Each structure stands twice: as structure tokens, then as C-alpha cells.
Amino acid sequence: MSADQKLYEGKAKILYSTDDPEVLLTRFKDDATAFNAQKRGSIRGKGEINCAISTHLFRLLEARGIQTHFIDRPAPTEMRVRAVKIVPLEVVVRNIAAGSLCHQTGLPLGMVLPKPLVEFYYKNDSLGDPLLTRDRLLLLELATPDQVDQLNAKALQINEILSDFFQQCGITLVDFKLEFGLDSAQTLLLADEISPDTCRLWDQSASDPRQRVLDKDRFRHDLGNVETAYQQVLERVLAQTVEV
Ligand code: UDP
């Protein structure tokens, strides 16, 4: 199976067609962007690390009954995935207040939320990925009411599985972003990636708030040691076997 035509180049990944129209190939890049691509850089080894972490987490979720686009990982930075039509929503799940939730509501950084919060953002760079209400999302016909309910339920289920998993790694899953796609049978599959680029991950063994950050916030806020943090997540994730 060889990579064929480049279909799309995003900030962190390139998508290629393959000789099977139902299968695409994703190549993970070392490039990093933040703040709607206003900050750009590169994190050495990130493509391989994020591909490996995403692979492990997709396998874990599949083993727990969550349908994903993941097929296999034919090379260190490559993932074969099922072709889906991406729903233009970023589904964010939060367990602890951080990032835009703090900026927009005044909640203190690190506050444990009484229950997980699911939010929908419009995946639209020119509009700056705005936060949507359910009614706005339906108005824009980004998903059907039934799909919104399914996305909400799946996001919460994924949060339970991933929170438990990261807990075993000595890592707190603060928040994360998911993307979903529809396959040819109109089934919602978890798509994109799950990695330190898309999750906030705090090391439970670090007391200093700057030291505990093991995710893209190290790049966003110039905290240094970005590669080491990503590598640390990879090692801890791979140390936990996935029971199928
Ligand atoms: N996130 C992401 N891509 C985005 C926006 C957010 O992967 O385009 C992730 C981010 O890494 C964090 C979570 O979603 O784990 C919540 O992000 P938030 O809304 O707090 O935005 P930020 O502070 O990153 O601007």
C-alpha cells in the first residue's frame, strides 16, 4: 500500500489517498501551530510520537467498543484510516478548568469541574473556531439533533475510558478535543488524533504547575522541554498494555 495523491495538508498532518477509496493514509508532521496558526514552530520527533500515542489510544478505545477511523500504523509517522466525511465540529471535553474556559468564564485554572463539560466549537479557521450553542450548531446544519446527542454521549464515554487510562499512567486528563466523521453508512466514527497536541495532560508527580504540563501548552506558552514532555507521555502510555 503506497501513499498516492496528497488530498489535504493540515497544520499537523497530511492526508493521502490510497489505491482503496475507502482507505486514506495520514502522515503526522513535526510542525506545530498555536493560537489559530499565529504561532508556528516545530517539535522534533512529534510526528512519530503523536502517531504512536494516537495508535495506542485508538486501539484502547476500539477494545472498549468505540468505533474509530483507525486501521493500522504501517510506518512510524503513518496511520491508515477509514475515509470519512469530517463533521466540522471540535468536540471538547473538560474535567478541570484550563485554557479558554478560564479566559471566557473567570473560573480558576485547575478547578475540578463538578461533572465533565462537553462543548462544541465550529471548525472554521477564518472565524477563529468559535464556541457554538446547540441551537447555533443546528441552525448551521453542522449536525442533526440525533448526531449531536450521539456526539455528546460518545464524548463522555471516551472521556471515562481515557481518564481511567491516563490515571494509570500517573497523568491527569484535564481536557481534550475530538473530531468525528461519517463513513459511507453514515456511522459516526472517532477521527483525527488523540495526542499531547489535542489534550491537556498534567503529570501527577510534579508539584510545580509549570513542571506538570506534558502537552502542547509547553509550546503555546514557551515553557521549554516540549520534546521531553511528549516523549514522557509516549513512554507512560506504551507502558500500559491494551487488553483486547
Ligand atoms: N484543542 C485542540 N485544537 C484546537 C483547540 C483546542 O486540540 O483547535 C484542545 C486543546 O489542546 C485543549 C482543549 O482542546 O486540550 C481545550 O482547548 P481550549 O478551548 O481551552 O483552547 P485553548 O486554550 O487551547 O485556546
Side-chain angles (χ1 to χ4, degrees):
M1 169 81 54
S2 62
D4 201 353
Q5 220 181 327
K6 191 195 275 192
L7 298 178
Y8 172 78
E9 177 152 8
K11 295 164 203 154
K13 297 187 289 299
I14 307 174
L15 199 61
Y16 299 92
S17 61
T18 70
D19 45 26
D20 180 345
E22 296 283 325
V23 176
L24 301 178
L25 187 90
T26 303
R27 184 166 291 137
F28 286 66
K29 301 194 289 183
D30 287 353
D31 298 351
T33 62
F35 310 119
N36 203 12
Q38 287 173 53
K39 182 179 168 84
R40 289 172 183 274
S42 175
I43 301 170
R44 201 162 18 92
K46 177 172 84 78
E48 187 169 339
I49 293 173
N50 281 359
C51 189
I53 294 173
S54 286
T55 294
H56 201 82
L57 296 177
F58 280 138
R59 286 196 175 125
L60 165 78
L61 291 167
E62 287 278 352
R64 299 282 193 282
I66 304 286
Q67 290 177 286
T68 79
H69 72 160
F70 176 79
I71 300 172
D72 59 12
R73 184 182 174 217
T77 59
E78 289 176 7
M79 188 184 281
R80 286 197 318 143
V81 299
R82 275 172 231 297
V84 292
K85 187 169 182 295
I86 291 289
V87 178
L89 290 172
E90 297 193 338
V91 182
V92 169
V93 186
R94 301 178 187 274
N95 298 303
I96 291 179
S100 67
L101 180 64
C102 297
H103 301 140
Q104 293 173 5
T105 65
L107 284 176
L109 174 68
M111 194 192 101
V112 178
L113 306 184
K115 60 176 187 163
L117 179 66
V118 179
E119 298 176 328
F120 297 99
Y121 292 81
Y122 188 10
K123 210 170 127 61
N124 184 317
D125 281 339
S126 55
L127 293 176
D129 298 345
L131 176 63
L132 293 170
T133 62
R134 183 187 168 95
D135 284 346
R136 281 191 182 185
L137 187 166
L138 296 175
L139 171 72
L140 296 174
E141 297 182 348
L142 302 178
T144 65
D146 177 58
Q147 286 169 345
V148 179
D149 293 343
Q150 278 192 56
L151 290 171
N152 203 71
K154 280 179 195 285
L156 288 172
Q157 218 182 334
I158 292 166
N159 182 45
E160 274 196 26
I161 298 166
L162 293 182
S163 292
D164 282 356
F165 178 82
F166 278 114
Q167 184 67 26
Q168 287 164 35
C169 302
I171 291 173
T172 301
L173 180 59
V174 173
D175 59 30
F176 58 99
K177 184 263 301 182
L178 300 173
E179 292 184 27
F180 292 84
L182 290 163
D183 69 7
S184 50
Q186 296 297 105
T187 305
L188 272 175
L189 304 183
L190 178 64
D192 195 45
E193 65 177 285
I194 310 173
S195 71
D197 270 9
T198 62
C199 302
R200 282 197 172 89
L201 302 165
W202 288 355
D203 183 357
Q204 294 173 354
S205 66
S207 46
D208 181 326
R210 289 170 75 88
Q211 296 301 322
R212 71 185 172 192
V213 176
L214 296 177
D215 56 71
K216 200 163 122 182
D217 274 348
R218 297 208 77 81
F219 169 77
R220 289 190 188 101
H221 306 299
D222 298 315
L223 299 178
N225 298 323
V226 190
E227 289 88 356
T228 322
Y230 276 55
Q231 188 65 39
Q232 182 63 231
V233 175
L234 175 65
E235 282 168 22
R236 294 205 208 172
V237 162
L238 292 186
Q240 304 294 323
T241 47
V242 173
E243 293 155 32
V244 185

